[in-house]
Amino acid sequence: MRRRRGGMAVSAYIWLIVGGAYFLIPLLATFLFSLDSNQTGKCCTVASYTWVIHNGEFWHTLKISLLLALETIVISLAIFVPTIYWVHLKVPKLRPVIAFLALIPFVVPPIVMVVGLLAVYKGTPSWFYAQPWGFLAAAYVILAFPYMFFSLDAGFRSIDVHTLTEASQSLGASWPTTLLKVIVPNIRAAALAASFLTLAIVMGEFTIANLAAFQTFPRFLQYVNESQAYPAAALTLMSFALTWGAMASLLLVGRRRGTRAAFVAGGR
């Protein structure tokens, strides 16, 4: 038995090393390529990173994409958390219907969806139609629908919604209080997972922003990739690090709030 466990441990380490190499070797190759430069002709230079940092378009498009990601996360959570909660509590028969609707963004190509959205939203106020905070946010909420629904649905299925609701209302809590102070803390992990996926989608979405003629971070990345090879490699690594940094910040915020809620509940 010990030999078998030892063999399983060794194989697990081997697969872990193989998986790590699969992800890290391309990043290392991209990093080494980004240290080269046509201007200096030297191997180890940070000229590409300096060019990206001092490029005003980089910071402008990055700000737009990050704000769009935050807006999409807030709107999606505000829509889907109460909806899924009500479906699990009152109308569980509608869950397969919503699950089927959540698969539609996977079936409809983004290029088809953006053409349809441009036709549907034509004639709306300019602050919505001509601004990324309106048109792109609405499109990204649709793209995030599957990831939001299935992540939150898994979170709601892992808790006893009926018991928590009845216990909360028996103590005199209203519906908003029950949702915000009882249900949401129990699905915090699912909400964070959905937020991570939404952030990754918005930071990497190119087709809709390009066809709608909005200058976002993926469009800037594509432009640099077509015009300059070495800065494109540096920009790719920087965008990768920024995305993971944003995800880590969301995770830290969620953990702090969860710890605070647990502490208050324990004090009572």
PDB file of all heavy atoms in Angstrom, residues 225-238:
ATOM      1  N   ASN A 225       0.342  44.320 -32.432  1.00  0.00           N
ATOM      2  CA  ASN A 225       0.761  43.013 -32.936  1.00  0.00           C
ATOM      3  C   ASN A 225       0.968  43.042 -34.441  1.00  0.00           C
ATOM      4  O   ASN A 225       1.839  42.329 -34.973  1.00  0.00           O
ATOM      5  CB  ASN A 225      -0.284  41.963 -32.572  1.00  0.00           C
ATOM      6  CG  ASN A 225       0.185  40.558 -32.891  1.00  0.00           C
ATOM      7  OD1 ASN A 225       1.343  40.221 -32.717  1.00  0.00           O
ATOM      8  ND2 ASN A 225      -0.736  39.727 -33.371  1.00  0.00           N
ATOM      9  N   GLU A 226       0.196  43.845 -35.151  1.00  0.00           N
ATOM     10  CA  GLU A 226       0.329  43.934 -36.600  1.00  0.00           C
ATOM     11  C   GLU A 226       1.463  44.849 -37.041  1.00  0.00           C
ATOM     12  O   GLU A 226       1.946  44.722 -38.163  1.00  0.00           O
ATOM     13  CB  GLU A 226      -0.984  44.439 -37.207  1.00  0.00           C
ATOM     14  CG  GLU A 226      -2.139  43.459 -37.074  1.00  0.00           C
ATOM     15  CD  GLU A 226      -3.430  44.033 -37.605  1.00  0.00           C
ATOM     16  OE1 GLU A 226      -3.441  45.236 -37.934  1.00  0.00           O
ATOM     17  OE2 GLU A 226      -4.421  43.283 -37.696  1.00  0.00           O
ATOM     18  N   SER A 227       1.880  45.761 -36.190  1.00  0.00           N
ATOM     19  CA  SER A 227       2.857  46.767 -36.602  1.00  0.00           C
ATOM     20  C   SER A 227       4.240  46.567 -35.989  1.00  0.00           C
ATOM     21  O   SER A 227       5.247  46.836 -36.646  1.00  0.00           O
ATOM     22  CB  SER A 227       2.353  48.176 -36.242  1.00  0.00           C
ATOM     23  OG  SER A 227       2.098  48.273 -34.843  1.00  0.00           O
ATOM     24  N   GLN A 228       4.307  46.074 -34.738  1.00  0.00           N
ATOM     25  CA  GLN A 228       5.596  45.952 -34.051  1.00  0.00           C
ATOM     26  C   GLN A 228       5.633  44.627 -33.292  1.00  0.00           C
ATOM     27  O   GLN A 228       4.793  44.391 -32.423  1.00  0.00           O
ATOM     28  CB  GLN A 228       5.813  47.118 -33.085  1.00  0.00           C
ATOM     29  CG  GLN A 228       5.731  48.491 -33.761  1.00  0.00           C
ATOM     30  CD  GLN A 228       6.043  49.606 -32.802  1.00  0.00           C
ATOM     31  OE1 GLN A 228       7.112  49.629 -32.185  1.00  0.00           O
ATOM     32  NE2 GLN A 228       5.114  50.543 -32.648  1.00  0.00           N
ATOM     33  N   ALA A 229       6.620  43.812 -33.606  1.00  0.00           N
ATOM     34  CA  ALA A 229       6.661  42.457 -33.044  1.00  0.00           C
ATOM     35  C   ALA A 229       7.115  42.449 -31.593  1.00  0.00           C
ATOM     36  O   ALA A 229       6.461  41.848 -30.729  1.00  0.00           O
ATOM     37  CB  ALA A 229       7.587  41.585 -33.888  1.00  0.00           C
ATOM     38  N   TYR A 230       8.238  43.115 -31.297  1.00  0.00           N
ATOM     39  CA  TYR A 230       8.801  43.039 -29.950  1.00  0.00           C
ATOM     40  C   TYR A 230       7.925  43.754 -28.912  1.00  0.00           C
ATOM     41  O   TYR A 230       7.669  43.199 -27.838  1.00  0.00           O
ATOM     42  CB  TYR A 230      10.221  43.607 -29.943  1.00  0.00           C
ATOM     43  CG  TYR A 230      11.149  42.873 -30.881  1.00  0.00           C
ATOM     44  CD1 TYR A 230      11.633  43.477 -32.037  1.00  0.00           C
ATOM     45  CD2 TYR A 230      11.532  41.564 -30.615  1.00  0.00           C
ATOM     46  CE1 TYR A 230      12.483  42.799 -32.902  1.00  0.00           C
ATOM     47  CE2 TYR A 230      12.372  40.878 -31.475  1.00  0.00           C
ATOM     48  CZ  TYR A 230      12.844  41.491 -32.623  1.00  0.00           C
ATOM     49  OH  TYR A 230      13.681  40.811 -33.470  1.00  0.00           O
ATOM     50  N   PRO A 231       7.436  44.970 -29.174  1.00  0.00           N
ATOM     51  CA  PRO A 231       6.481  45.560 -28.223  1.00  0.00           C
ATOM     52  C   PRO A 231       5.204  44.746 -28.072  1.00  0.00           C
ATOM     53  O   PRO A 231       4.595  44.753 -27.004  1.00  0.00           O
ATOM     54  CB  PRO A 231       6.197  46.938 -28.833  1.00  0.00           C
ATOM     55  CG  PRO A 231       7.413  47.257 -29.623  1.00  0.00           C
ATOM     56  CD  PRO A 231       7.850  45.943 -30.198  1.00  0.00           C
ATOM     57  N   ALA A 232       4.802  44.033 -29.128  1.00  0.00           N
ATOM     58  CA  ALA A 232       3.606  43.192 -29.024  1.00  0.00           C
ATOM     59  C   ALA A 232       3.821  42.065 -28.014  1.00  0.00           C
ATOM     60  O   ALA A 232       2.920  41.728 -27.236  1.00  0.00           O
ATOM     61  CB  ALA A 232       3.252  42.617 -30.386  1.00  0.00           C
ATOM     62  N   ALA A 233       5.017  41.480 -28.023  1.00  0.00           N
ATOM     63  CA  ALA A 233       5.316  40.431 -27.036  1.00  0.00           C
ATOM     64  C   ALA A 233       5.319  40.996 -25.624  1.00  0.00           C
ATOM     65  O   ALA A 233       4.769  40.389 -24.694  1.00  0.00           O
ATOM     66  CB  ALA A 233       6.665  39.792 -27.360  1.00  0.00           C
ATOM     67  N   ALA A 234       5.923  42.162 -25.450  1.00  0.00           N
ATOM     68  CA  ALA A 234       5.931  42.796 -24.130  1.00  0.00           C
ATOM     69  C   ALA A 234       4.515  43.154 -23.693  1.00  0.00           C
ATOM     70  O   ALA A 234       4.146  42.961 -22.530  1.00  0.00           O
ATOM     71  CB  ALA A 234       6.815  44.045 -24.161  1.00  0.00           C
ATOM     72  N   LEU A 235       3.710  43.668 -24.616  1.00  0.00           N
ATOM     73  CA  LEU A 235       2.341  44.048 -24.287  1.00  0.00           C
ATOM     74  C   LEU A 235       1.500  42.830 -23.934  1.00  0.00           C
ATOM     75  O   LEU A 235       0.644  42.890 -23.048  1.00  0.00           O
ATOM     76  CB  LEU A 235       1.723  44.796 -25.462  1.00  0.00           C
ATOM     77  CG  LEU A 235       0.318  45.364 -25.273  1.00  0.00           C
ATOM     78  CD1 LEU A 235       0.292  46.335 -24.097  1.00  0.00           C
ATOM     79  CD2 LEU A 235      -0.142  46.065 -26.549  1.00  0.00           C
ATOM     80  N   THR A 236       1.741  41.722 -24.601  1.00  0.00           N
ATOM     81  CA  THR A 236       1.012  40.490 -24.286  1.00  0.00           C
ATOM     82  C   THR A 236       1.291  40.032 -22.866  1.00  0.00           C
ATOM     83  O   THR A 236       0.373  39.668 -22.116  1.00  0.00           O
ATOM     84  CB  THR A 236       1.399  39.388 -25.277  1.00  0.00           C
ATOM     85  OG1 THR A 236       1.070  39.802 -26.607  1.00  0.00           O
ATOM     86  CG2 THR A 236       0.669  38.094 -24.961  1.00  0.00           C
ATOM     87  N   LEU A 237       2.564  40.040 -22.472  1.00  0.00           N
ATOM     88  CA  LEU A 237       2.915  39.639 -21.110  1.00  0.00           C
ATOM     89  C   LEU A 237       2.349  40.614 -20.084  1.00  0.00           C
ATOM     90  O   LEU A 237       1.864  40.204 -19.020  1.00  0.00           O
ATOM     91  CB  LEU A 237       4.430  39.554 -20.968  1.00  0.00           C
ATOM     92  CG  LEU A 237       5.120  38.391 -21.687  1.00  0.00           C
ATOM     93  CD1 LEU A 237       6.623  38.485 -21.518  1.00  0.00           C
ATOM     94  CD2 LEU A 237       4.603  37.057 -21.171  1.00  0.00           C
ATOM     95  N   MET A 238       2.384  41.898 -20.394  1.00  0.00           N
ATOM     96  CA  MET A 238       1.857  42.899 -19.466  1.00  0.00           C
ATOM     97  C   MET A 238       0.347  42.761 -19.313  1.00  0.00           C
ATOM     98  O   MET A 238      -0.185  42.884 -18.207  1.00  0.00           O
ATOM     99  CB  MET A 238       2.229  44.302 -19.947  1.00  0.00           C
ATOM    100  CG  MET A 238       3.713  44.594 -19.894  1.00  0.00           C
ATOM    101  SD  MET A 238       4.163  46.201 -20.573  1.00  0.00           S
ATOM    102  CE  MET A 238       3.413  47.281 -19.358  1.00  0.00           C
TER     103      MET A 238
END
